Amino acid sequence: MSIVETSVAAPLGGPTLPQERRLVTAIPGPRSQELLDRKAVAVAAGVAHTVPVHAVAAGGGVVVDADGNSLIDLGSGIAVVTIGNAHPAVVAAVQAQAAQFTHTCFMISPYDSYVAVAEALNRVTPGDHAKKSALFNSGAEAVENAVKIARKHTGRQAVVAFDHGYHGRTNLTMALTAKSMPYKSGFGPFAGEVYRAPLSYPFRDGLTGAEAAARAISLMEKQVGADNLAAVIIEPIQGEGGFIVPADGFLPAVVDWCRANGVVFIADEIQTGFARTGAMFASELFGIVPDLITTAKGIAGGLPLAGVTGRAEIMDAAHAGGLGGTYGGNPVACAAAVAAIEAFEAEDLSARARAVGDILVSRLSALRAQDARIGEVRGRGAMVAAEFVVAGTTEPDAALASAVAKACIAEGVIVLTCGTYSNVIRFLPPLSIPDALLHEGLDVVAAALAAN
Ligand code: PLZ
């Protein structure tokens, strides 16, 4: 019998769910375990999971599983449901659009919601220059297309990405991604003409922003050559790499160098975008205006959609028919994005992200003051992380990060790890989480740390 048929009646999702942590079985409970057994047989082993529960509903700040457990969500499905899972405006927009039509292919016959998303992206992204957008299905696909556009515009081929960078799992984006295991190992050969520059990682390199920028620029000049370089791509705050916030001045110096040398500066805001960092886009926090910006994740409240937005003259470099894809800018996903972007603005979710961030930083900093195994607490807005080290050193402690994360999950709190050295726990709660639940989640984190 299938797990769905044997499940307890699925509670309604979205904001109607009781906002509580509730454990009625061990994690995983028997119904989740049944699904995990089926998954192991039916789904390729490469598609792993970190939280062993079978989700049946989610909303506000909780995920409810098939056994009736209610877990506090401090991960938002990797920074996707920033506005809250099953946000009522997104649900209504999806239902209305799905009843109207589900697909025409925008390259065959265009429709309004795609154009509306492009207009909204052009309006809400940094800079007041003329902009255009193109829509795709996933973050990786947006990154691939940003590189295609930059190459066509410049007539150059090389691309520079950074240490600790993450840009996706497709062939070009694997080449751009820094970390081998699990993203790249055994999957080569990778795309050519990709070069890696050193980042600014204040906790580990002790450099000022200007010094770190000079180091990166020297590599670009000496090992690549500006005349060969189409684009520089960087996450304003590295996500998968460990929530690394560059030192002040690093990003502006890199942008200035790009502009002086005709290199397209691409900000990958797939994880940082849409109010996550306390601004609509993290670029604003660093005072930079990217030439191109890639978006996905938070854009559509959980529906798969991604975008490339940027200077109109760069975006228009690709010939008619040069960009597209069967599903890119699917009408249901676009309707969701229109509703989500409205909610970001109407609910002032950037302010909410800053308030959530204040709670995260003050609670985690208090923990750090008592426990030298937390080397650094860092982040912006509701994108905050704790980096674990061997006390008194900067030596990464991946085992501790993993043990604490596992203990939190067992106690009904979803936390995610990240980092090149796998020693970082990151906090990305949905902005719809009630403050009391966020505090309870952090109490569980504190207890898990004390017990390990
Ligand atoms: N660029 C900055 O964060 C996706 C990946 C999780 P896709 N990050 C989560 C995993 O293990 O696959 C991401 C990102 C940045 C690009 C991407 C890629 O976005 O929508 O996963 O393709």
Side-chain angles (χ1 to χ4, degrees):
M1 196 185 287
S2 93
I3 193 95
V4 174
E5 285 154 351
T6 59
S7 294
V8 290
L12 293 173
T16 56
L17 287 175
Q19 294 300 300
E20 62 186 10
R21 181 169 66 105
R22 183 181 67 239
L23 292 181
V24 296
T25 69
I27 302 289
R31 292 173 196 275
S32 284
Q33 189 56 55
E34 192 186 327
L35 176 87
L36 296 177
D37 294 344
R38 281 173 47 214
K39 177 189 180 250
V41 174
V43 178
V47 187
H49 62 268
T50 53
V51 181
V53 300
H54 174 190
V56 294
V62 298
V63 174
V64 175
D65 78 8
D67 294 287
N69 299 299
S70 175
L71 289 81
I72 299 176
D73 182 11
L74 301 184
S76 299
I78 321 186
V80 170
V81 287
T82 306
I83 64 169
N85 219 314
H87 187 289
V90 168
V91 172
V94 165
Q95 286 173 337
Q97 179 59 50
Q100 209 63 29
F101 66 96
T102 49
H103 176 82
T104 62
C105 185
F106 192 75
M107 302 183 303
I108 307 298
S109 56
Y111 38 86
D112 183 61
S113 55
Y114 186 119
V115 179
V117 173
E119 288 169 345
L121 285 170
N122 299 344
R123 180 169 55 77
V124 300
T125 47
D128 49 17
H129 49 276
K131 289 178 223 154
K132 287 193 169 182
S133 291
L135 302 181
F136 306 96
N137 302 295
S138 67
E141 211 187 336
V143 170
E144 294 257 355
N145 279 278
V147 170
K148 280 165 69 173
I149 292 164
R151 283 177 169 160
K152 195 74 201 280
H153 171 73
T154 57
R156 306 171 182 173
Q157 295 185 352
V159 182
V160 162
F162 282 80
D163 284 340
H164 312 288
Y166 182 92
H167 300 287
R169 293 176 180 267
T170 57
N171 188 261
L172 173 59
T173 60
M174 277 194 292
L176 295 169
T177 291
K179 190 173 175 177
S180 174
M181 202 61 184
Y183 306 121
K184 306 168 70 165
S185 188
F187 297 141
F190 305 111
E193 285 306 309
V194 171
Y195 301 84
R196 190 162 312 285
L199 185 71
S200 166
Y201 191 163
F203 178 64
R204 295 194 171 278
D205 64 22
L207 299 179
T208 66
E211 289 164 349
R215 184 173 66 170
I217 288 166
S218 167
L219 180 142
M220 295 194 278
E221 287 178 341
K222 303 302 174 211
Q223 297 187 29
V224 189
D227 290 350
N228 303 306
L229 187 54
V232 164
I233 182 162
I234 188 166
E235 302 154 81
I237 298 173
Q238 258 65 19
E240 303 304 309
F243 281 24
I244 304 165
V245 182
D248 282 346
F250 174 76
L251 288 170
V254 172
V255 171
D256 287 349
W257 182 85
C258 286
R259 217 139 278 162
N261 289 281
V263 175
V264 176
F265 180 89
I266 305 170
D268 181 343
E269 293 240 22
I270 286 164
Q271 189 153 164
T272 50
F274 293 102
R276 177 50 60 187
T277 63
M280 200 60 164
F281 292 95
S283 293
E284 299 164 39
L285 302 175
F286 301 100
I288 59 168
V289 176
D291 298 313
L292 299 181
I293 176 165
T294 54
T295 54
K297 291 192 185 279
I299 188 173
L303 278 283
L305 188 70
V308 181
T309 299
R311 296 183 189 281
E313 67 276 16
I314 301 178
M315 291 298 297
D316 277 342
H319 46 274
L323 305 177
T326 306
Y327 292 117
N330 167 270
V332 180
C334 284
V338 169
I341 294 170
E342 258 175 44
F344 278 112
E345 294 186 300
E347 299 175 22
D348 194 4
L349 290 176
S350 294
R352 175 68 189 144
R354 293 191 293 274
V356 165
D358 287 346
I359 294 174
L360 287 168
V361 169
S362 70
R363 293 287 310 268
L364 294 169
S365 299
L367 281 184
R368 178 170 179 268
Q370 302 159 2
D371 194 329
R373 297 174 301 168
I374 301 183
E376 190 175 47
V377 172
R378 57 174 178 255
R380 293 286 185 277
M383 179 172 187
V384 173
E387 173 156 4
F388 293 89
V389 293
V390 175
T393 74
T394 57
E395 196 189 316
D397 193 343
L400 178 60
S402 166
V404 171
K406 282 201 174 71
C408 289
I409 291 165
E411 286 300 317
V413 178
I414 297 174
V415 295
L416 313 177
T417 58
C418 66
T420 297
Y421 313 108
S422 309
N423 65 325
V424 177
I425 293 187
R426 52 174 155 176
F427 299 91
L428 294 159
L431 300 178
S432 51
I433 190 170
D435 285 358
L437 209 58
L438 177 58
H439 278 291
E440 186 178 339
L442 292 166
D443 292 342
V444 170
V445 173
L449 182 63
N452 276 278

